[in-house]
Amino acid sequence: HIAQTKLVAETREEHFGLAPGFFRVCPSGVDADLFSRSNVQNDIRSKLGIPPDAFVIVTTARLVSWKRVDLVIASIEGTPPDTWLLVVGDGPERASLEAIAMKSPARERIVFAGRVPSLVDWLAAADVFVLMSRIESFGLVYAEAMMLGLPCIGSTHQPPSVISAASDVIPEGKAGFCVNSVGMLRDRLQLLKDNPELRAQMGRTAQELARRDYTVEGFIECLEREAAALMT
């Protein structure tokens, strides 16, 4: 019995009254060849007129309420004109999120991309990835962003209101952060903006981790190890 993260494994074991360790953890994997900067086809910054030295945040998700994209939009209120937000994805909440963005002082720096043919292009245009989901069992897009060398910010696990395994995927303070409020999110973004060396180091750590633990090949190897252990 396989779970994607430690949180999912422990939650299922507790819910079903199973012994600790009943579920084995094998992190989900992404295509490392696909999520590579060598596959970038379009310079998104240039197309959108974003200055090369701007600080760009990207979030990508189905636009539904529990993904909490509104928190990411709120986090860039009051930021200087060199901070941009790219919202990639579509869904039933898009119109309401666009309405929120239109009321923001940063509205001219918030871009709704909708569904895009190449997510790699949009991730490569950013300095940091943010996903503030209320419910997240792994967050495959964290691994995709990390594969491209982006520090990631996710939601802190705060049951029962927030069930998030982001901290299992993103080592705190090494490959990114987990936060529990708009204020905390804004502070972490400012920290990364003000410290390009820290941002670069976290990006390298994120990429190394993703290439080691979050590949399709790594997932298969994990399954094979667990199967072999059952037969010994």
Short mmCIF file of all heavy atoms in Angstrom, two decimals, residues 143-171:
data_model
loop_
_atom_site.label_atom_id
_atom_site.label_comp_id
_atom_site.label_asym_id
_atom_site.label_seq_id
_atom_site.Cartn_x
_atom_site.Cartn_y
_atom_site.Cartn_z
N ALA A 143 6.90 19.80 -7.51
CA ALA A 143 8.02 19.05 -8.08
C ALA A 143 8.40 19.58 -9.45
O ALA A 143 9.59 19.65 -9.80
CB ALA A 143 7.67 17.57 -8.16
N GLU A 144 7.40 19.97 -10.25
CA GLU A 144 7.69 20.51 -11.58
C GLU A 144 8.45 21.83 -11.47
O GLU A 144 9.42 22.06 -12.21
CB GLU A 144 6.37 20.70 -12.33
CG GLU A 144 5.68 19.37 -12.65
CD GLU A 144 4.25 19.53 -13.12
OE1 GLU A 144 3.67 20.64 -12.97
OE2 GLU A 144 3.68 18.55 -13.63
N ALA A 145 8.02 22.69 -10.55
CA ALA A 145 8.71 23.97 -10.36
C ALA A 145 10.11 23.76 -9.81
O ALA A 145 11.07 24.42 -10.24
CB ALA A 145 7.90 24.86 -9.43
N MET A 146 10.24 22.85 -8.87
CA MET A 146 11.55 22.56 -8.29
C MET A 146 12.50 22.00 -9.33
O MET A 146 13.70 22.29 -9.30
CB MET A 146 11.38 21.59 -7.11
CG MET A 146 10.68 22.21 -5.91
SD MET A 146 10.11 21.00 -4.69
CE MET A 146 11.67 20.52 -3.95
N MET A 147 11.98 21.21 -10.25
CA MET A 147 12.81 20.65 -11.31
C MET A 147 13.45 21.75 -12.14
O MET A 147 14.54 21.59 -12.70
CB MET A 147 11.96 19.72 -12.18
CG MET A 147 12.74 18.73 -13.02
SD MET A 147 13.56 17.44 -12.04
CE MET A 147 12.17 16.40 -11.59
N LEU A 148 12.77 22.90 -12.24
CA LEU A 148 13.30 24.04 -12.99
C LEU A 148 14.11 24.98 -12.11
O LEU A 148 14.53 26.05 -12.56
CB LEU A 148 12.15 24.81 -13.64
CG LEU A 148 11.56 24.13 -14.88
CD1 LEU A 148 10.22 24.72 -15.23
CD2 LEU A 148 12.51 24.24 -16.06
N GLY A 149 14.33 24.59 -10.86
CA GLY A 149 15.18 25.39 -9.99
C GLY A 149 14.49 26.54 -9.29
O GLY A 149 15.14 27.54 -8.96
N LEU A 150 13.17 26.42 -9.04
CA LEU A 150 12.44 27.49 -8.35
C LEU A 150 12.25 27.16 -6.87
O LEU A 150 11.81 26.05 -6.53
CB LEU A 150 11.07 27.70 -8.97
CG LEU A 150 11.00 28.19 -10.41
CD1 LEU A 150 9.56 28.44 -10.81
CD2 LEU A 150 11.82 29.44 -10.61
N PRO A 151 12.55 28.09 -5.98
CA PRO A 151 12.11 27.93 -4.59
C PRO A 151 10.59 27.89 -4.58
O PRO A 151 9.95 28.54 -5.40
CB PRO A 151 12.64 29.19 -3.89
CG PRO A 151 13.60 29.82 -4.83
CD PRO A 151 13.21 29.38 -6.21
N CYS A 152 10.02 27.13 -3.65
CA CYS A 152 8.57 26.97 -3.59
C CYS A 152 8.02 27.39 -2.24
O CYS A 152 8.68 27.20 -1.21
CB CYS A 152 8.17 25.52 -3.87
SG CYS A 152 8.52 24.97 -5.55
N ILE A 153 6.81 27.92 -2.25
CA ILE A 153 6.12 28.27 -1.02
C ILE A 153 4.75 27.60 -1.04
O ILE A 153 4.00 27.71 -2.01
CB ILE A 153 5.95 29.79 -0.87
CG1 ILE A 153 7.32 30.48 -0.85
CG2 ILE A 153 5.18 30.12 0.41
CD1 ILE A 153 7.25 31.99 -0.73
N GLY A 154 4.44 26.87 0.04
CA GLY A 154 3.16 26.18 0.15
C GLY A 154 2.48 26.49 1.47
O GLY A 154 2.95 27.32 2.26
N SER A 155 1.39 25.81 1.73
CA SER A 155 0.60 26.02 2.95
C SER A 155 1.09 25.15 4.09
O SER A 155 1.38 23.97 3.90
CB SER A 155 -0.88 25.71 2.69
OG SER A 155 -1.44 26.59 1.75
N THR A 156 1.12 25.73 5.27
CA THR A 156 1.41 24.97 6.48
C THR A 156 0.23 24.06 6.81
O THR A 156 -0.93 24.45 6.68
CB THR A 156 1.65 25.93 7.67
OG1 THR A 156 2.71 26.83 7.34
CG2 THR A 156 1.99 25.16 8.93
N HIS A 157 0.53 22.84 7.24
CA HIS A 157 -0.51 21.90 7.64
C HIS A 157 -1.15 22.36 8.94
O HIS A 157 -0.49 22.48 9.96
CB HIS A 157 0.12 20.51 7.82
CG HIS A 157 -0.85 19.45 8.22
ND1 HIS A 157 -1.97 19.14 7.49
CD2 HIS A 157 -0.84 18.60 9.29
CE1 HIS A 157 -2.62 18.14 8.07
NE2 HIS A 157 -1.97 17.81 9.17
N GLN A 158 -2.46 22.68 8.87
CA GLN A 158 -3.21 23.14 10.04
C GLN A 158 -4.59 22.49 10.07
O GLN A 158 -5.59 23.12 9.72
CB GLN A 158 -3.36 24.66 10.02
CG GLN A 158 -2.06 25.43 10.23
CD GLN A 158 -2.29 26.93 10.26
OE1 GLN A 158 -2.81 27.52 9.31
NE2 GLN A 158 -1.91 27.56 11.35
N PRO A 159 -4.64 21.20 10.42
CA PRO A 159 -5.93 20.52 10.42
C PRO A 159 -6.86 21.12 11.47
O PRO A 159 -6.40 21.63 12.51
CB PRO A 159 -5.54 19.08 10.77
CG PRO A 159 -4.24 19.20 11.51
CD PRO A 159 -3.54 20.38 10.90
N PRO A 160 -8.18 21.12 11.24
CA PRO A 160 -8.83 20.51 10.07
C PRO A 160 -9.03 21.47 8.90
O PRO A 160 -9.48 21.07 7.86
CB PRO A 160 -10.19 20.09 10.64
CG PRO A 160 -10.49 21.16 11.65
CD PRO A 160 -9.17 21.53 12.27
N SER A 161 -8.68 22.75 9.09
CA SER A 161 -8.98 23.73 8.03
C SER A 161 -8.03 23.62 6.84
O SER A 161 -8.43 23.87 5.70
CB SER A 161 -8.93 25.14 8.61
OG SER A 161 -7.65 25.42 9.15
N VAL A 162 -6.78 23.26 7.09
CA VAL A 162 -5.81 23.12 6.01
C VAL A 162 -5.13 21.77 6.13
O VAL A 162 -4.48 21.47 7.14
CB VAL A 162 -4.74 24.24 6.04
CG1 VAL A 162 -3.72 24.04 4.92
CG2 VAL A 162 -5.39 25.61 5.94
N ILE A 163 -5.31 20.95 5.10
CA ILE A 163 -4.68 19.63 5.06
C ILE A 163 -3.65 19.68 3.94
O ILE A 163 -3.97 19.50 2.76
CB ILE A 163 -5.72 18.51 4.78
CG1 ILE A 163 -6.89 18.61 5.76
CG2 ILE A 163 -5.06 17.14 4.85
CD1 ILE A 163 -6.52 18.44 7.21
N SER A 164 -2.41 19.93 4.31
CA SER A 164 -1.38 20.17 3.30
C SER A 164 -0.12 19.38 3.60
O SER A 164 0.44 19.45 4.70
CB SER A 164 -1.03 21.66 3.24
OG SER A 164 0.09 21.89 2.42
N ALA A 165 0.33 18.64 2.59
CA ALA A 165 1.59 17.89 2.69
C ALA A 165 2.76 18.66 2.10
O ALA A 165 3.81 18.09 1.85
CB ALA A 165 1.44 16.54 1.98
N ALA A 166 2.57 19.97 1.90
CA ALA A 166 3.63 20.76 1.28
C ALA A 166 4.96 20.64 2.02
O ALA A 166 6.03 20.60 1.42
CB ALA A 166 3.21 22.22 1.18
N SER A 167 4.90 20.59 3.36
CA SER A 167 6.15 20.51 4.13
C SER A 167 6.86 19.18 3.93
O SER A 167 8.07 19.08 4.21
CB SER A 167 5.87 20.74 5.62
OG SER A 167 5.01 19.75 6.13
N ASP A 168 6.15 18.15 3.49
CA ASP A 168 6.80 16.88 3.16
C ASP A 168 7.54 16.95 1.84
O ASP A 168 8.47 16.17 1.60
CB ASP A 168 5.76 15.75 3.07
CG ASP A 168 5.24 15.31 4.43
OD1 ASP A 168 5.88 15.65 5.45
OD2 ASP A 168 4.19 14.65 4.48
N VAL A 169 7.12 17.88 0.99
CA VAL A 169 7.70 17.99 -0.35
C VAL A 169 8.78 19.07 -0.40
O VAL A 169 9.79 18.93 -1.10
CB VAL A 169 6.59 18.31 -1.38
CG1 VAL A 169 7.16 18.40 -2.79
CG2 VAL A 169 5.49 17.26 -1.31
N ILE A 170 8.58 20.15 0.37
CA ILE A 170 9.48 21.31 0.35
C ILE A 170 10.22 21.40 1.68
O ILE A 170 9.62 21.81 2.69
CB ILE A 170 8.68 22.62 0.13
CG1 ILE A 170 7.75 22.52 -1.07
CG2 ILE A 170 9.63 23.81 -0.03
CD1 ILE A 170 6.69 23.60 -1.10
N PRO A 171 11.48 21.04 1.75
CA PRO A 171 12.23 21.17 3.00
C PRO A 171 12.26 22.63 3.47
O PRO A 171 12.72 23.51 2.74
CB PRO A 171 13.63 20.67 2.64
CG PRO A 171 13.43 19.76 1.46
CD PRO A 171 12.30 20.39 0.70
#
